[in-house]
Amino acid sequence: MKGVMIQGTASDVGKSLIVTAMCRILANEGIKVTPFKSQNMSNNSYVTVDGKEIGRAQGIQAEAARLEPTVWMNPILLKPRSNQNAEVVYLGKAIETYSGREYREQFYEKGIEVIKKSLDHLEEHFEVAVIEGAGSPVEINLKDREIVNMMVAELADVPVVLVADIDRGGVFASIVGTLDLLEPKERKRVVGLIINKFRGDITLFEDGIEWLEKRTGIPVLGVLPFMENHMIDGEDSLSLRSQFLTKKKGTLDIAVIHLPYISNYSDLEPFLYEEDVSLRWVNHASDFGQPDAIIIPGTKSTISDLKNLRDKQLDILILQHAKTGGHVVGICGGYQILGEELIDVDGSDTGKLASTVSGLGCIPAITTFYKEKETNRVIGKYHKDTRLPNNQKLEGYEIHLGKTVFSNKGCSFLILDNGEEEGYFANDGQIIGTYLHHLFHNDEWRSHWLNMIRKRKGIPVQEPTYIKDFKDKRFDFLASQMKNHLKWDLLKDIINQWSTR
């Protein structure tokens, strides 16, 4: 296969962003390029057009490459359900929940098989693959059965570029240490180094580049700047947390309940584009304050996160906020938490049969969990009883185990294109529950919801902020920035020479 693999000295060094940029650079040069990551671990997922689930990072990288994402770009997705267990999504469908040991012992051969199959499929349809690794390639205790770093580079037979994060410190030790721990045949694959997240005057690092190249014998292919507020969807909540912290504080205070097993936090990212909106995480009662609105996001373990919320007495503050007219939105697991009761007959949410717990009771509904997961892209319009303009379309996707049914008469939020009623809408939108991920990516809806809060707060309403086109411009901006700081022609020569050696 013709391509390159981006590996890192650690997690969160910027591999996903670099792969995204490279996909757009190559696509802009007219090359048929595809992203690939054999195994992703994230609760932030992406639903493909055929209703399959892959890691969100690969979905975004495909968009950067101007492609429709497919399961072949990320055949294995691990979605943590606890500190010990993760759900395995195999070619887009959930198949089993394993402990770490069970996964290593029972899934390895099946994993290798589907990785080979995926690489063969991509090689048949694309000219170049930009492959992303995970964590570090020298986790010694896991290395004998890893299926995401050097094993994949060997299966694809591509060169490796090693990325290190200078912002966290220890960049020289992390590079030299990683190379030292690689086996000789693995080290031969490492053809370049990238220093990421550099701040300040690059001339102050020139002697560092010289030292690294002399010490390792490997060229430094670029020193990339620290890019704040790049607005490219993050793979995990760490990336979104940093954007929350760096965003300018706004007049509207939106509190997001930070659930331990939060999922699909990309639902929140459109608010980062709203100048007068301040987003903040709420972990404890002491963080709660007096928000203008609360969002309870999705979760991979609804009942567990509901218990955590109660243990911190956040339930009391959420209910008080709702009773005094404050706006509350629950998305997916957050919607389930806002209901009256949650019933886990098969143990598909808790792992324990016949578990039943009370919800917060803001929404008159009962959720029952089943084994089969719903994963669909959906289009709908407002339910007529919301008195919102029903000629406006909303797009998003569903990823959930439970089915929620009203216990008393309530107003649905949406009518989907298949005729089904979806979600809950009360008090002119003061309380909303929905399974629709990416609800707030619909610009007209997000504007309407924020204007309801602005009116309640007594501040002027605003025209919608349209972000769909802006996102594509961000891909081009990211690609331009990365290309300007990379030895791009040298990197392309390395890729071409490797494939013809």
Side-chain angles (χ1 to χ4, degrees):
M1 169 172 279
K2 190 174 181 179
V4 63
M5 186 167 193
I6 306 299
Q7 295 186 16
T9 57
S11 296
D12 198 37
V13 299
K15 297 185 292 291
S16 295
L17 200 65
I18 290 170
V19 171
T20 303
M22 289 182 65
C23 283
R24 176 50 63 102
I25 294 169
L26 289 165
N28 284 347
E29 294 183 353
I31 295 171
K32 291 177 65 178
V33 56
T34 179
F36 179 72
K37 187 168 184 175
S38 57
Q39 171 191 284
N40 208 335
M41 178 174 280
S42 177
N43 276 332
N44 207 24
S45 57
Y46 189 108
V47 174
T48 63
V49 70
D50 55 349
K52 304 292 178 62
E53 198 175 358
I54 64 173
R56 181 142 197 89
Q58 281 62 64
I60 296 303
Q61 290 159 3
E63 289 181 6
R66 298 190 177 91
L67 301 173
E68 189 64 56
T70 72
V71 295
W72 304 111
M73 299 169 184
N74 176 218
I76 306 167
L77 172 62
L78 305 180
K79 304 189 75 174
R81 301 188 64 177
S82 70
N83 291 334
Q84 299 290 330
N85 300 310
E87 177 185 76
V88 178
V89 179
Y90 176 86
L91 288 177
K93 289 293 184 183
I95 59 169
E96 188 63 79
T97 295
Y98 288 117
S99 68
R101 182 173 295 279
E102 289 169 341
Y103 180 73
R104 279 173 56 79
E105 292 176 352
Q106 300 176 29
F107 191 79
Y108 180 76
E109 285 76 16
K110 187 171 185 175
I112 292 291
E113 181 184 357
V114 77
I115 291 166
K116 289 178 179 177
K117 187 175 180 180
S118 298
L119 290 170
D120 287 344
H121 178 90
L122 295 177
E123 186 172 23
E124 185 179 341
H125 291 85
F126 297 97
E127 296 174 280
V128 174
V130 184
I131 303 173
E132 181 182 344
S136 160
V138 289
E139 302 292 354
I140 302 303
N141 59 315
L142 304 175
K143 203 166 178 294
D144 63 323
R145 293 175 79 81
E146 67 91 2
I147 54 173
V148 72
N149 284 307
M150 282 299 179
M151 173 59 76
V152 176
E154 184 176 334
L155 290 174
D157 194 13
V158 293
V160 171
V161 172
L162 186 65
V163 180
D165 175 1
I166 195 170
D167 190 55
R168 67 174 65 188
V171 69
F172 299 101
S174 64
I175 290 172
V176 173
T178 299
L179 293 172
D180 186 59
L181 290 171
L182 289 172
E183 296 174 17
K185 68 173 184 177
E186 295 171 336
R187 196 182 185 289
K188 287 180 181 178
R189 285 193 181 274
V190 182
V191 296
L193 306 172
I194 291 177
I195 310 301
N196 195 24
K197 304 183 187 179
F198 185 85
R199 302 176 190 260
D201 184 352
I202 185 61
T203 62
L204 298 176
F205 193 67
E206 287 177 352
D207 56 346
I209 294 174
E210 183 180 348
W211 186 90
L212 278 170
E213 292 185 335
K214 184 176 180 180
R215 175 67 172 77
T216 66
I218 299 171
V220 175
L221 298 176
V223 180
L224 306 181
F226 191 102
M227 296 189 67
E228 293 183 307
N229 295 326
H230 53 72
M231 298 298 185
I232 304 299
D233 294 16
E235 183 174 31
D236 55 44
S237 58
L238 287 175
S239 61
L240 190 57
R241 184 193 298 271
S242 66
Q243 292 187 63
F244 276 28
L245 294 175
T246 57
K247 186 182 186 298
K248 183 177 68 177
K249 299 299 180 184
T251 309
L252 293 185
D253 178 19
I254 298 179
V256 181
I257 306 301
H258 194 278
L259 306 172
Y261 296 104
I262 183 174
S263 66
N264 293 87
Y265 15 80
S266 54
D267 290 339
L268 308 168
E269 288 181 311
F271 293 112
L272 300 174
Y273 296 85
E274 300 285 353
E275 286 295 324
D276 67 340
V277 171
S278 174
L279 276 181
R280 59 185 175 87
W281 291 117
V282 172
N283 282 290
H284 305 283
S286 58
D287 304 329
F288 194 82
Q290 294 182 310
D292 297 309
I294 296 169
I295 296 175
I296 308 177
T299 166
K300 195 68 188 70
S301 297
T302 303
I303 293 176
S304 174
D305 279 351
L306 172 58
K307 181 181 183 301
N308 180 273
L309 186 149
R310 281 202 167 104
D311 288 344
K312 295 176 178 178
Q313 297 187 316
L314 284 168
D315 58 327
I316 299 170
L317 296 173
I318 293 169
L319 290 172
Q320 183 180 359
H321 173 85
K323 286 176 182 176
T324 56
H327 285 77
V328 180
V329 175
I331 300 175
C332 199
Y335 174 28
Q336 296 168 345
I337 284 171
L338 288 173
E340 293 176 319
E341 193 172 49
L342 297 91
I343 304 171
D344 191 11
V345 177
D346 299 316
S348 54
D349 182 75
T350 60
K352 300 176 183 177
L353 296 175
S355 298
T356 300
V357 299
S358 298
L360 300 191
C362 292
I363 294 175
I366 296 172
T367 296
T368 303
F369 294 99
Y370 299 100
K371 289 182 178 179
E372 290 297 317
K373 184 191 292 188
E374 290 282 340
T375 57
N376 302 296
R377 282 196 189 179
V378 295
I379 299 175
K381 58 185 180 181
Y382 303 121
H383 192 282
K384 61 181 179 58
D385 291 343
T386 64
R387 300 195 297 277
L388 295 171
N390 64 2
N391 60 339
Q392 190 177 109
K393 294 283 188 179
L394 282 84
E395 298 182 16
Y397 58 92
E398 297 179 331
I399 308 175
H400 58 93
L401 285 170
K403 184 174 179 61
T404 300
V405 178
F406 292 156
S407 57
N408 294 310
K409 183 172 174 56
C411 174
S412 296
F413 179 33
L414 303 172
I415 295 288
L416 303 182
D417 274 6
N418 62 9
E420 292 182 4
E421 297 188 8
E422 199 285 320
Y424 178 80
F425 186 95
N427 304 334
D428 293 324
Q430 182 226 338
I431 306 291
I432 295 173
T434 180
Y435 279 118
L436 193 70
H437 287 294
H438 276 208
L439 169 67
F440 290 112
H441 285 247
N442 293 275
D443 297 324
E444 298 283 355
W445 161 252
R446 186 181 68 259
S447 175
H448 173 81
W449 186 74
L450 289 173
N451 279 336
M452 288 193 297
I453 301 169
R454 292 180 180 119
K455 288 177 183 177
R456 181 173 182 265
K457 191 162 183 166
I459 61 177
V461 299
Q462 295 191 15
E463 291 297 312
T465 299
Y466 293 97
I467 66 172
K468 290 185 177 179
D469 292 338
F470 185 71
K471 186 174 183 179
D472 198 64
K473 292 176 182 176
R474 294 302 296 183
F475 283 138
D476 282 329
F477 175 77
L478 174 65
S480 173
Q481 285 292 300
M482 294 289 187
K483 191 173 182 180
N484 287 340
H485 291 87
L486 285 173
K487 296 177 181 177
W488 181 245
D489 289 337
L490 175 58
L491 178 54
K492 285 199 299 182
D493 286 344
I494 290 172
I495 295 170
N496 289 326
Q497 290 168 11
W498 186 277
S499 65
T500 59
R501 73 193 189 287

